[in-house]
Each structure stands twice: as structure tokens, then as C-alpha cells.
Amino acid sequence: RAPKVTRPPPRRTPLPPPLQRHQRRRAAWRRDQPPRRPTMAASRARCRDNTPAQGPRRRSLLCGGPRAHPALSRRGVPMLRVHDSARSWHGLRWLPRQGCEHSKRAPGPVPLPFLGLSASESLVDAISSASTTAALAEALREVEQWQWTSDQEAGMKRCKTYVPEQPALAAFYVSSVNEWKLLQPRVLVLTSSSYFRVKYDQKSGKVEHYRKTPLRDVLSLEKTADGLKIYLRGQDGRAGPQKWYQRLERKVAQISTGSKDNAFSGRVKDEFYYAREYRPSLPAGAPLSADQVTDVLAAALHKTAELHRDSLPADGASFEPPPVLTTDERRQILHDRKAAARAEEERAEREAAEAELRHAVEVASASRELEPKTSSQINSAVLSRPIKRARRAVEADASLISRAEQLKAELEEEHRVSRKCLGSV
């Protein structure tokens, strides 16, 4: 008998470093969750239209093991899926949360019942009317009386005492959207001059890490459909795939042009370039809805920045408190800015085209009086390009264009008559 040949196991292509970091973060998050797994019957009920016999077999690189459908995951979290055959990157996919028995444990925001605007309006009015930091802290004490769970209350108290700046005005339980569009449970602690994004472990009762953001670095606040987006002066955390692609495109443009100038046709770094989004996370049955909590958080950030600006010395570096915008208002600002830039470009091009055409008309008119006479064909060619440029310009001087066209026609007629005379001779 021939000896049995053992083949080495197939080598797997290593993941890129960003995906490896994502894999480690997701594995750490899964370790924090209770070890519960749905039954096989529940799994088949959720993937009724894409069972292993009906759809392509897929493997999850980030949670291990083959799965037939994204809904087979234990929890509604984003996962990266790759075909076994092609091993092509399909990108992040948000898994459905409907019908999943473990969806209550997902870190995303929980839909809250809408019970009227009286509570939030009174709290927002109290925050807006506060004239001192002490009055603002007194108004924000109502946030502690919301229907938080016992773990959330303990986490908020621990985070408020952990941050280095004291006193802490308020704390909010939120879901932070990172560069991979993943929802991460965090505690947002607001102080008199900055705010802290704190990662708190409810199982161990310990603070793992935090990130400080001064209020002077906040440029604007945008109320979105899901939460609050904060625009900053610099990058908050790691840059995502979109920023990587923009850097690569900028680098390719610089190499192709052969210069180190910022020759980039993509998005310009304006005040809406660096952003971090937070979504309110409250337990079911809370007295406020997600939109109302977003209004309270935006009002608290704006008022705290305003009081901090007023407390700075007059000779120091001042800053403007961040305005509170909506998504439509931000889009309108960018649209108006783009329209103004386009109008400025059109004005500059119109003035340059008119100046070039006037100079061409003067040169062509003066050359007709010279001795020996300049060829009329050359004079008409001098006017061709300026006339075309003036026609393309927006709202150029119509009388100047018509005068140049008439002069060009006269020169062409003179050239035709002279050629006819030379031919008869």
C-alpha cells in the first residue's frame, strides 16, 4: 500500500491591519456579552429565505465559523462577510434586529415612547436661561432623575467622579458611532470647559479609558434623525475608510501633477469635515423620546460652551459657542457656500474674458492702419479665440462681443476681396 500523504492545511490570506483591529474590538465586545445562543429552530426561522441549501455558503472572518445568513448572528451587530470561493470584501453589513431574541442586548439605541414635549421643553428652557455654571448644574440634575437602570446609574456616578476635571455637570448614556459605523456604549460626561467620552464596563464596574474634548474645539452641533453629531477642529479617534480613500486620492493627484500642492478634487476640509455622532441610549419606558434627549444634550453643550467663553479673560483667546443646526440647515449652508464660490469663479472668468477681448479688438483695429498692412487673415485669427472665450463666459458684455464679431467679419471680407483681386491678376 502506498503511504498516506498528509497535506498541510491551506494558508489563509491575512487580514489588513484595520480589519484586524476591528476583529479584536469585536471579540472584546463579545466577551462582555452573556453567553447565550439562539436555538437551531430560531436560526432557521430567521434565515428562511437563504438557508445553506438555497444560498451561497459564507464564512465570517470576524466571529469564526461558517454561517448561512447574516441574521444567524447572536446579536444585531455589524459583521464582515467574505465568500469562500472569491474571498472578496463585501464591506460592513448591518444585521437585522427584528425578530432576534437577543436584540435587547444590542448596544444600539432603544426606541423610546413619545409622551409629549412638556418635560423636555421645560428642561431645555431651564438650561437656556441659566446664567452661571451653578445654575446650569442645578438644571441638569433632572437628568439624574430619569429612569436609568441601576447599572447605568452606577456607571454615571463612577464616570463623573473618575474624570480629572471637577465638578462634573451631567452625564449621559449614549451610543458612540465609531469610524466603522459601529455603535459603542459610552458615557458622555460634561464639565465646565470640556466633555469626556468614557468607556465603562458594567460587569466589572471599572472605567477602561476616556477621551477628553475641549469645548473650544467644538465648531457646531447638528441634530440628525438618530442623534447628535458634533463637528470638531480635528479628528476624534481613528479615521475611517472614507478618509483613507480621500487621502489616497489626494496623494495620487499630487503624484500625477508632479507637485506637492493640495491638488485634490474631493471634499475640502471645512468646519463639517471632522465629526463624531452620538445616539441617546435610554431604557424602555423612559419619560423622554430619543429626539427630546438629543435636544437636551445639544442645549447643554451649547450653554456650557457659552458660559465657558464668558468666563475666559478678556485678553485671552476667545472662541464662539457652537451653533445648533439641523441636517437641512447644514446642507443649505454648504449649498449657499458652493453657489457663492461658483459665482465668484464666473465673475473672475467673465472679467478676464472681457479684458482679453478688448485687447484683441484694439490690436486688430490698430493693425489695419499700419504700413505695410498686416494680413487681414491674421487679424481675424487674433479675434477668434477671445470671442469664443467671451461667449462661454456667464453674462459677458453682449455689446463688446457683437462689436468684435462685426470687426472679425469686416476683416474676413477684406481678406476675401484681396484674394479675389490677386487671383484675377
Side-chain angles (χ1 to χ4, degrees):
R1 294 177 58 182
K4 186 176 181 181
V5 179
T6 59
R7 297 181 178 178
R11 295 183 58 185
R12 292 190 176 182
T13 305
L15 291 176
L19 301 187
Q20 293 180 5
R21 290 195 297 267
H22 175 71
Q23 181 180 10
R24 291 193 296 268
R25 288 195 298 269
R26 190 177 186 279
W29 180 85
R30 291 188 62 175
R31 285 196 301 267
D32 298 340
Q33 303 302 314
R36 299 180 60 185
R37 180 179 292 275
T39 60
M40 183 59 66
S43 300
R44 291 188 178 278
R46 284 195 302 274
C47 64
R48 57 179 66 93
D49 59 341
N50 192 11
T51 57
Q54 298 175 358
R57 185 180 180 88
R58 298 182 178 182
R59 176 183 292 112
S60 172
L61 295 180
L62 301 183
C63 56
R67 299 186 186 277
H69 191 267
L72 289 181
S73 177
R74 291 190 298 164
R75 302 166 190 88
V77 296
M79 297 167 55
L80 189 67
R81 302 214 168 257
V82 176
H83 276 290
D84 284 351
S85 58
R87 298 187 66 82
S88 58
W89 183 24
H90 288 266
L92 291 176
R93 174 176 298 181
W94 289 99
L95 304 185
R97 292 176 181 167
Q98 294 81 3
C100 179
E101 58 181 301
H102 299 279
S103 60
K104 296 181 181 179
R105 301 185 182 273
V110 181
L112 305 176
F114 182 79
L115 299 178
L117 296 174
S118 58
S120 65
E121 287 182 351
S122 60
L123 182 54
V124 171
D125 293 341
I127 292 173
S128 303
S129 60
S131 58
T132 60
T133 305
L136 179 60
E138 184 67 24
L140 289 174
R141 285 186 181 178
E142 185 177 344
V143 177
E144 301 177 359
Q145 302 176 4
W146 292 350
Q147 296 180 3
W148 305 102
T149 62
S150 58
D151 294 338
Q152 289 178 339
E153 290 181 357
M156 292 167 60
K157 292 180 180 179
R158 179 70 182 107
C159 294
K160 289 175 68 175
T161 58
Y162 186 86
V163 295
E165 291 187 9
Q166 295 295 332
L169 302 179
F172 299 85
Y173 244 92
V174 296
S175 295
S176 175
V177 183
N178 66 355
E179 67 274 9
W180 292 98
K181 305 301 180 184
L182 299 179
L183 298 180
Q184 300 174 325
R186 296 291 185 267
V187 179
L188 210 64
V189 181
L190 181 62
T191 62
S192 59
S193 62
S194 58
Y195 70 89
F196 296 82
R197 184 175 68 250
V198 187
K199 182 179 181 181
Y200 175 76
D201 188 3
Q202 295 185 0
K203 297 180 63 177
S204 61
K206 296 181 179 180
V207 175
E208 296 187 5
H209 60 81
Y210 67 87
R211 184 178 181 86
K212 175 184 176 181
T213 303
L215 291 176
R216 62 170 56 252
D217 293 343
V218 180
L219 298 179
S220 60
L221 306 171
E222 178 186 346
K223 295 191 292 184
T224 63
D226 300 324
L228 181 67
K229 188 175 290 187
I230 302 178
Y231 294 98
L232 306 168
R233 297 183 186 275
Q235 181 68 41
D236 187 2
R238 297 186 179 92
Q242 184 178 6
K243 299 250 176 42
W244 299 342
Y245 176 77
Q246 291 177 356
R247 293 175 185 173
L248 179 61
E249 188 178 1
R250 184 183 297 108
K251 193 67 176 179
V252 170
Q254 292 176 358
I255 295 175
S256 61
T257 55
S259 63
K260 294 185 179 180
D261 298 335
N262 194 11
F264 178 52
S265 60
R267 181 180 175 184
V268 181
K269 291 185 179 181
D270 51 6
E271 68 271 21
F272 303 112
Y273 187 77
Y274 298 106
R276 189 80 177 191
E277 185 176 0
Y278 299 96
R279 300 179 183 180
S281 179
L282 285 176
L288 300 179
S289 65
D291 294 339
Q292 294 170 338
V293 175
T294 301
D295 294 339
V296 173
L297 180 57
L301 287 171
H302 174 77
K303 191 62 180 180
T304 307
E306 183 178 352
L307 294 177
H308 177 55
R309 190 264 322 260
D310 297 340
S311 64
L312 294 177
D315 55 349
S318 180
F319 68 97
E320 291 297 328
V324 182
L325 308 174
T326 61
T327 304
D328 294 337
E329 292 175 351
R330 177 182 61 84
R331 292 175 179 174
Q332 186 64 34
I333 290 174
L334 295 177
H335 179 270
D336 296 343
R337 188 176 301 171
K338 188 176 180 180
R342 184 171 60 250
E344 179 64 22
E345 292 178 359
E346 292 175 354
R347 182 196 62 79
E349 175 63 20
R350 178 173 61 253
E351 293 180 355
E354 291 178 353
E356 183 182 2
L357 184 57
R358 290 192 184 94
H359 179 69
V361 169
E362 293 176 359
V363 170
S365 301
S367 63
R368 301 174 69 178
E369 308 296 333
L370 296 178
E371 292 293 342
K373 293 183 178 298
T374 308
S375 174
S376 301
Q377 185 179 8
I378 297 177
N379 295 338
S380 60
V382 168
L383 292 171
S384 298
R385 182 178 176 183
I387 290 176
K388 291 181 180 179
R389 183 181 180 183
R391 287 176 179 174
R392 290 193 300 265
V394 180
E395 297 180 358
D397 191 357
S399 60
L400 178 61
I401 296 176
S402 61
R403 184 158 56 91
E405 290 177 347
Q406 183 179 1
L407 178 59
K408 180 183 176 183
E410 294 176 357
L411 295 174
E412 290 177 350
E413 180 65 21
E414 293 178 2
H415 177 63
R416 188 182 64 81
V417 172
S418 61
R419 290 189 60 182
K420 184 176 180 180
C421 296
L422 291 176
S424 62
V425 174

